[in-house]
Amino acid sequence: MDRQTVGSANRGRLSVGVRTEGRSEVVTVAGELDHHTAELLRAPLDDALERGRSRLVIDCSQLEFCDSTGLNVLLGARLKADAAGGGVHLVAMSPVVARVFEITGADAVFTVHDSLEDALAD
């Protein structure tokens, strides 16, 4: 199986888009974030942080699934962003993804927004 593909051929591929909006680096994730795809997110997050972009806004509106490996990528980025004086803001999590954060208690360590507009205005 292709390391970037999980589930069926039509679902499960993770795509990551990055753009700069004001003082924020907006990272849009779509698909499934798990141990097969986590590196596809880790690399652009690390790159943004290395370039001094410490305010990361993660648009989760198209994220269908997140397992513990994906959660650890986000937690690692949060620690690095906090150390650099920034933070990680999560946006528009689906109920399935939000449940993972709730069960693990990770929702308490991230700033969570209902919309991208709210996150960018914060």
Side-chain angles (χ1 to χ4, degrees):
M1 181 181 288
D2 179 352
R3 286 189 45 84
Q4 295 181 14
T5 304
V6 291
S8 74
N10 295 325
R11 296 186 45 186
R13 182 170 300 282
L14 184 74
S15 65
V16 178
V18 181
R19 69 184 187 280
T20 300
E21 291 215 15
R23 61 188 181 101
S24 300
E25 201 75 355
V26 178
V27 180
T28 303
V29 290
E32 296 182 5
L33 178 57
D34 63 17
H35 70 280
H36 292 291
T37 61
E39 191 58 34
L40 296 172
L41 178 58
R42 183 187 330 270
L45 292 176
D46 286 348
D47 180 58
L49 291 163
E50 288 170 10
R51 291 183 292 110
R53 305 295 298 175
S54 62
R55 187 175 196 282
L56 305 173
V57 175
I58 314 297
D59 182 351
C60 301
S61 62
Q62 299 173 58
L63 186 61
E64 299 168 7
F65 176 79
C66 180
D67 74 358
S68 61
T69 307
L71 182 60
N72 283 330
V73 167
L74 293 169
L75 287 167
R78 180 194 155 273
L79 289 174
K80 292 174 187 174
D82 284 354
V88 174
H89 299 256
L90 303 177
V91 175
M93 289 191 291
S94 71
V96 170
V97 173
R99 182 75 175 131
V100 172
F101 284 77
E102 179 185 330
I103 289 169
T104 62
D107 59 340
V109 299
F110 288 100
T111 304
V112 179
H113 302 273
D114 291 331
S115 72
L116 184 57
E117 293 77 21
D118 291 345
L120 293 173
D122 185 21

